């Protein structure tokens, strides 16, 4: 436990609570991990290591597997099965099944009722709770920080460490307060906040830090909105992002299958209430944003830091401060096929992707569906709607959202990562433009040669309807809020 | 893992900032369950044309850099995903060390665990190395891990930071899992004195 008289941040409280052996001059801290999530892509070599050394998984009961990255999202066959046609993906999924079985790890396999993107199912099932340490061999593990957990991505060697010992070696990171004050205007959502934060600090701006998002605009967000924001912390270079738990958090967690129940829940809430940063707690850095001034954001380049207000113009590489910035921007614009000073509004797109662990939850789908109700996807545009989990899919179908999307001419697909990472056949053709609600616009991320504009679900829906990049506020009417 | 102390080799330039792990090893190559073949796939979309030929506009394809082993990379190298396939692929392609002004956190951690040395230098040294690499591909540098020094062709020694624990593991060729296994008593004690937060098998 820390010194009672020194005010602590949320991060410090969670960190201190999980120390098995403190950091010294010569060794990192050893941290206890409450929950370890594993998926098929970053775990096979870790299981091989365990087998080589004759080790077992220390806490299968604190480990959970799901299939998500390389799984197809194509419709089920007559037997209700989602066929995996890619031989290599199929072999990887089979290996994953075997690994989880051999080591006694519960796992949600393709198409089963709780399967989905690892960062969607953790919170959905109530595994993700305030004050926990959560890791996964996946950089968007930062998503779970929305609950006031310390959650971050690790490499495959570290996946092996946690499987074997439930412990991880870490140096204590610095902290950065990301303060977002004010109120979002209609048509401006969580995704726009985080794109604005990253545009401001750059993709390496948070390196070595854990973010704590705070301020009235964050407080007023739903849990889904907070998850969208924490999800993209890594896009600002921070391994983790956190939001202090509050009534919104407790209400969301309450009643979920793996959350504490009854009296245990009340006891847990009592503890969770002690987690928010103390008055006067010090952060190593701070960045401030005013939500009142925000409008919908969009990226123009090949990293998430290359973002701008949707009514802006593509920046001019010649006006950048350093040679390397000029070169980077030049290269990005060449890849994107964009001219300096070109507006993006009105730019024709080929594909709209609504999905990914950033924006595939039920509220994201509801938002987009509201805008698309009774509308049509523009003629030459392909729109893919990929729910984050089987549960999200089921819920959306109960609410009739699938019908709205299908009637509009969009594809309603099975759950998974899909075109966020383009490992499963869902991908852009070279040169195609997409507006995507995912988190990475890196070269080739959504298919070799594909060009990605990152934006919110509302901007994605508005763009699908018009067939070109559209400010959702031109279609968004306030009573939709 | 083999112990590592001294490395020397030719340098090659990759003068771009924010090179992400999707460029180092595109996601479609992550469907593997081992580490084989990743070296050929390293920088795949920058390295090869659609029909499998070498792209002339990719600097590392130039013949004079083929036997280089120290990559001089731009700022914030290795950003993006946590895939450890990135250092595996770089090593498979023949890189032993990467020099930059900054590395993304997860990439740096992953590299250290595999013996790919991430070397952080100041802007001035970085500029110097980048132009040396571009102008004279025969330039060699050497790295002394024990002394944490990068030795430039003019004999200048530039210190670089590395945490003591990773350094110890690299110098002795031990991995960190052994150390963690040695914490068994402390782990048991922690588990005994803290409520379990969640049970996934319930
Ligand atoms: S949806 Fe995309 S970012 Fe999220 S876990 Fe899957 S591949 Fe990674």
């Amino acid at each position: 436990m820390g010194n009672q008289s020194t005010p602590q941040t949320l991060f410090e409280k969670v960190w201190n609570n999980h120390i098995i052996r403190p950091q010294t001059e010569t060794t990192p801290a050893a941290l206890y991990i409450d929950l370890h999530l594993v998926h098929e892509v970053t775990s096979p070599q870790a299981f091989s290591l365990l087998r080589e050394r004759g080790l077992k998984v220390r806490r299968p009961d604190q480990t959970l597997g799901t299939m998500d990255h390389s799984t197809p999202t194509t419709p089920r066959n007559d037997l209700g099965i989602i066929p995996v046609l890619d031989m290599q993906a199929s072999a990887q999924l089979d290996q994953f099944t075997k690994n989880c079985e051999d080591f006694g790890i519960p796992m949600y396999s393709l198409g089963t009722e709780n399967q989905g993107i690892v960062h969607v199912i953790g919170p959905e099932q109530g595994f993700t709770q305030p004050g926990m340490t959560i890791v996964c061999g996946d950089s968007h593990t930062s998503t779970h920080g929305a609950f006031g957990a310390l959650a971050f991505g690790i490499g495959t060697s570290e996946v092996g460490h946690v499987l074997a010992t439930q412990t991880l070696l870490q140096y204590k990171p610095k902290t950065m307060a990301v303060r977002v004050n004010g109120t979002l205007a209609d048509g401006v959502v969580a995704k726009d906040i985080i794109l604005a934060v990253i545009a401001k600090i750059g993709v390496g701006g948070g390196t070595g830090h854990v973010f704590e998002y705070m301020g009235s605009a964050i407080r007023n967000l739903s849990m889904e909105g907070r998850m969208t924001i924490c999800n993209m912390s890594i896009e600002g270079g921070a391994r983790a992002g956190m939001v202090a738990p509050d009534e919104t958090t407790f209400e969301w967690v309450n009643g979920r299958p793996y959350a504490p129940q009854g009296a245990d829940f009340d006891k847990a809430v009592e503890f969770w209430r002690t987690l928010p940063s103390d008055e006067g707690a010090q952060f190593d850095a701070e960045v401030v944003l005013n939500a009142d001034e925000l409008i919908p954001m969009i990226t123009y380049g090949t990293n998430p830091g290359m973002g701008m207000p949707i009514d802006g113009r593509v920046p001019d590489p010649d006006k950048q401060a350093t040679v390397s910035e000029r070169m980077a921007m030049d290269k990005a614009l060449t890849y994107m096929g964009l001219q300096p000073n070109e507006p993006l509004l009105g730019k024709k797109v080929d594909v709209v992707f609504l999905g990914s662990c950033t924006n595939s939850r039920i509220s994201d789908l509801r938002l987009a569906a509201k805008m698309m109700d009774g509308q049509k996807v523009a003629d030459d545009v392909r729109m893919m709607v990929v729910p984050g989990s089987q549960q999200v899919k089921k819920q959306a179908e109960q609410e009739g959202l699938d019908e709205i999307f299908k009637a509009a001419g969009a594809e309603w697909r099975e759950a998974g990562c899909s075109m966020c990472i383009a490992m499963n056949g869902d991908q852009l053709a070279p040169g195609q433009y997409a507006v995507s609600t995912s988190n990475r616009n890196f070269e080739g991320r959504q298919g070799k040669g594909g060009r990605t504009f990152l934006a919110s679900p509302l901007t994605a829906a508005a763009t699908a309807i018009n067939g070109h990049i559209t400010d959702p506020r031109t279609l968004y009417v306030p009573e939709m809020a | 893992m083999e112990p590592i102390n001294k490395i020397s080799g030719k340098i090659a330039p990759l003068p771009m900032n924010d090179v992400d792990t999707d460029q180092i090893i595109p996601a479609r190559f992550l469907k593997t369950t081992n580490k084989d073949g990743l070296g050929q796939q390293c920088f795949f979309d920058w390295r090869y044309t659609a029909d499998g030929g070498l792209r002339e506009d990719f600097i590392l394809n130039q013949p004079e850099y083929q036997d280089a082993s120290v990559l001089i990379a731009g700022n914030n190298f290795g950003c993006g995903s946590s895939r450890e396939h990135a250092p595996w692929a770089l090593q498979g392609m023949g890189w032993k060390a990467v020099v930059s002004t900054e590395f993304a956190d997860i990439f740096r951690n992953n590299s250290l665990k595999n013996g790919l040395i991430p070397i952080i230098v100041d802007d001035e040294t970085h500029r110097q190395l980048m132009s040396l690499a571009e102008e004279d591909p025969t330039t060699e540098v050497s790295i002394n891990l024990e002394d944490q020094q990068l030795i430039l062709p003019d004999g200048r020694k530039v210190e670089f930071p590395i945490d003591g624990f990773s350094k110890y593991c690299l110098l002795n060729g031990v991995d960190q899992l052994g150390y963690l296994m040695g914490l068994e008593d402390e782990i048991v004690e922690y588990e005994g004195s803290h409520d379990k937060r969640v049970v996934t098998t319930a």
Side-chain angles (χ1 to χ4, degrees):
Chain A
M1 285 286 102
N3 183 343
Q4 295 299 312
S5 62
T6 316
Q8 290 186 323
T9 62
L10 163 65
F11 159 74
E12 286 167 322
K13 292 181 193 185
V14 182
W15 174 270
N16 290 337
N17 228 326
H18 289 85
I19 298 232
I20 287 182
R21 184 185 278 186
Q23 184 168 327
T24 68
E25 293 243 321
T26 49
T27 50
L31 268 196
Y32 193 74
I33 302 303
D34 292 319
L35 176 66
H36 185 196
L37 304 164
V38 287
H39 64 70
E40 74 276 18
V41 172
T42 55
S43 66
Q45 297 86 351
F47 284 108
S48 301
L49 177 80
L50 260 60
R51 285 197 179 92
E52 269 163 38
R53 304 209 183 170
L55 299 171
K56 55 187 180 67
V57 172
R58 183 184 177 84
R59 306 300 320 208
D61 57 344
Q62 287 171 237
T63 310
L64 178 77
T66 190
M67 295 178 172
D68 54 5
H69 280 66
S70 62
T71 53
T73 60
T74 40
R76 290 166 193 256
N77 63 19
D78 295 344
L79 303 170
I81 289 170
I82 305 167
V84 185
L85 300 178
D86 178 330
M87 297 302 289
Q88 226 195 344
S90 170
Q92 190 176 54
L93 294 169
D94 289 347
Q95 184 62 46
F96 187 60
T97 304
K98 178 169 166 42
N99 289 340
C100 291
E101 274 171 14
D102 286 0
F103 289 92
I105 296 170
M107 193 270 285
Y108 299 153
S109 67
L110 178 58
T112 53
E113 65 169 330
N114 293 331
Q115 176 249 336
I117 306 174
V118 62
H119 312 308
V120 175
I121 63 163
E124 186 172 85
Q125 293 299 317
F127 293 115
T128 302
Q129 295 163 29
M132 286 172 57
T133 46
I134 302 175
V135 296
C136 173
D138 194 290
S139 60
H140 292 101
T141 309
S142 57
T143 313
H144 308 259
F147 293 80
L150 174 61
F152 52 90
I154 56 178
T156 298
S157 295
E158 291 173 319
V159 170
H161 297 175
V162 180
L163 288 174
T165 67
Q166 206 61 29
T167 305
L168 193 66
L169 294 170
Q170 287 293 303
Y171 289 97
K172 191 176 180 182
K174 295 185 180 141
T175 52
M176 188 185 290
V178 180
R179 224 176 274 281
V180 190
N181 297 319
T183 313
L184 291 175
D186 285 330
V188 188
V189 292
K191 183 66 164 283
D192 301 309
I193 295 182
I194 190 62
L195 286 174
V197 168
I198 301 163
K200 184 168 176 151
I201 64 171
V203 281
T207 303
H209 290 79
V210 166
F211 291 155
E212 184 180 334
Y213 300 98
M214 52 181 76
S216 51
I218 304 292
R219 278 293 130 229
N220 289 332
L221 287 175
S222 66
M223 284 318 295
E224 284 92 342
R226 294 177 191 181
M227 283 188 255
T228 298
I229 288 189
C230 287
N231 174 273
M232 289 190 73
S233 303
I234 183 70
E235 262 52 76
R239 284 180 75 182
M242 303 173 82
V243 174
D246 59 10
E247 296 309 319
T248 307
T249 322
F250 309 148
E251 203 177 298
W252 205 90
V253 173
N254 193 6
R256 297 201 175 252
Y258 288 85
Q261 311 287 333
D264 286 343
F265 182 78
D266 298 337
K267 205 176 129 209
V269 169
E270 212 176 292
F271 166 60
W272 296 343
R273 285 190 201 285
T274 67
L275 292 171
S277 293
D278 298 327
E279 187 75 37
Q282 299 289 313
F283 292 83
D284 298 299
E286 184 179 70
V287 38
V288 181
L289 212 74
N290 185 353
D292 297 333
E293 293 164 5
L294 271 188
I295 72 160
M297 295 286 295
I298 193 159
T299 62
Y300 56 85
T302 53
N303 74 48
M306 295 179 172
M308 64 179 195
I310 197 163
D311 61 1
R313 286 168 182 271
V314 173
D316 187 342
D318 288 345
K319 300 216 172 98
Q320 303 312 303
T322 66
V323 180
S324 48
E325 280 171 68
R326 273 199 288 281
M327 281 174 56
M329 194 172 284
D330 237 348
K331 188 169 187 305
L333 297 193
T334 305
Y335 182 85
M336 292 296 291
L338 295 173
Q339 300 301 318
N341 303 314
E342 177 182 348
L344 286 186
L345 282 177
K347 177 106 191 150
K348 271 192 58 55
V349 303
D350 305 288
V351 176
V352 171
F353 174 66
L354 177 58
S356 89
C357 57
T358 316
N359 282 124
S360 65
R361 296 179 184 79
I362 189 69
S363 60
D364 300 311
L365 303 191
R366 281 182 192 140
L367 206 56
K370 258 184 188 165
M371 182 171 276
M372 299 193 69
D373 198 357
Q375 303 279 351
K376 285 269 180 242
V377 175
D379 275 346
D380 36 9
V381 171
R382 174 187 188 196
M383 183 180 190
M384 298 170 74
V385 184
V386 183
S389 69
Q390 292 294 337
Q391 287 294 322
V392 169
K393 179 164 184 269
K394 191 166 120 190
Q395 174 76 28
E397 286 171 356
Q398 277 164 6
E399 295 178 18
L401 306 185
D402 59 324
E403 292 305 329
I404 295 177
F405 289 123
K406 284 191 273 191
E411 297 170 30
W412 177 246
R413 299 179 72 99
E414 290 291 333
C417 295
S418 180
M419 210 178 73
C420 171
I421 190 162
M423 282 183 74
N424 69 339
D426 301 346
Q427 63 189 53
L428 296 176
Q432 278 191 323
Y433 283 107
V435 163
S436 173
T437 64
S438 56
N439 43 46
R440 286 186 174 144
N441 50 355
F442 296 149
E443 285 184 31
R445 170 81 179 187
Q446 297 198 287
K448 187 174 174 171
R451 297 149 160 178
T452 302
F453 300 110
L454 299 175
S456 76
L458 277 179
T459 302
T463 299
I465 293 166
N466 283 347
H468 51 77
I469 294 176
T470 300
D471 184 338
R473 296 173 303 169
T474 59
L475 302 182
Y476 192 81
V477 284
E479 53 266 30
M480 284 172 64
Chain B
M1 203 162 63
E2 291 293 305
I4 299 173
N5 184 15
K6 294 187 175 148
I7 295 173
S8 48
K10 290 189 189 161
I11 57 177
L14 189 63
M16 283 170 247
N17 289 354
D18 305 315
V19 171
D20 59 81
T21 56
D22 274 271
Q23 308 318 312
I24 299 173
I25 179 79
R28 62 184 184 280
F29 299 123
L30 306 185
K31 287 180 270 192
T32 173
T33 52
N34 54 43
K35 304 174 189 176
D36 301 341
L38 293 169
Q40 279 87 49
Q41 295 155 348
C42 193
F43 296 121
F44 194 92
D45 293 344
W46 287 353
R47 217 162 138 196
Y48 301 104
T49 58
D51 53 13
L54 287 179
R55 272 175 65 165
E56 280 174 18
D57 61 351
F58 184 49
I59 190 157
L60 298 180
N61 279 344
Q62 294 178 12
E64 53 272 32
Y65 294 121
Q66 292 319 300
D67 55 350
S69 59
V70 178
L71 185 66
I72 315 298
N75 191 55
N76 193 33
F77 187 75
C79 62
S81 98
S82 63
R83 62 190 71 166
E84 199 158 319
H85 309 67
W88 296 336
L90 286 163
Q91 286 179 309
M93 193 179 165
W95 304 107
K96 296 198 165 76
V98 186
V99 180
S100 179
T101 43
E102 182 178 71
F103 292 92
D105 286 331
I106 308 181
F107 175 80
R108 201 194 58 236
N109 281 342
N110 286 341
S111 297
L112 286 167
K113 289 192 176 61
N114 289 279
L116 176 71
I117 316 293
I119 296 179
I120 301 178
V121 295
D122 59 277
D123 286 342
E124 185 48 46
T125 305
H126 189 260
R127 260 196 298 277
Q128 192 186 342
L129 281 168
M130 194 63 89
S131 23
L132 271 173
E134 286 172 338
E135 284 153 24
D136 179 5
T138 65
T139 306
E140 284 201 26
V141 296
S142 45
I143 292 153
N144 182 320
L145 185 60
E146 172 109 61
D147 298 342
Q148 298 182 215
Q149 286 177 339
L150 173 71
I151 302 142
L152 306 187
D154 61 6
R156 190 159 70 93
K157 294 177 171 158
V158 183
E159 288 214 3
F160 62 86
I162 180 168
D163 73 273
F165 185 69
S166 299
K167 177 170 147 183
Y168 171 86
C169 291
L170 290 167
L171 284 173
N172 294 285
V174 296
D175 72 19
Q176 306 187 356
L177 182 53
Y179 173 85
L180 279 168
M181 302 288 295
L183 298 182
E184 176 69 16
D185 290 349
E186 281 145 292
I187 300 171
V188 169
E189 194 193 313
Y190 183 93
E191 288 178 334
S193 58
H194 291 75
D195 288 342
K196 199 184 299 183
R197 313 251 184 204
V198 74
V199 182
T200 56
T201 43

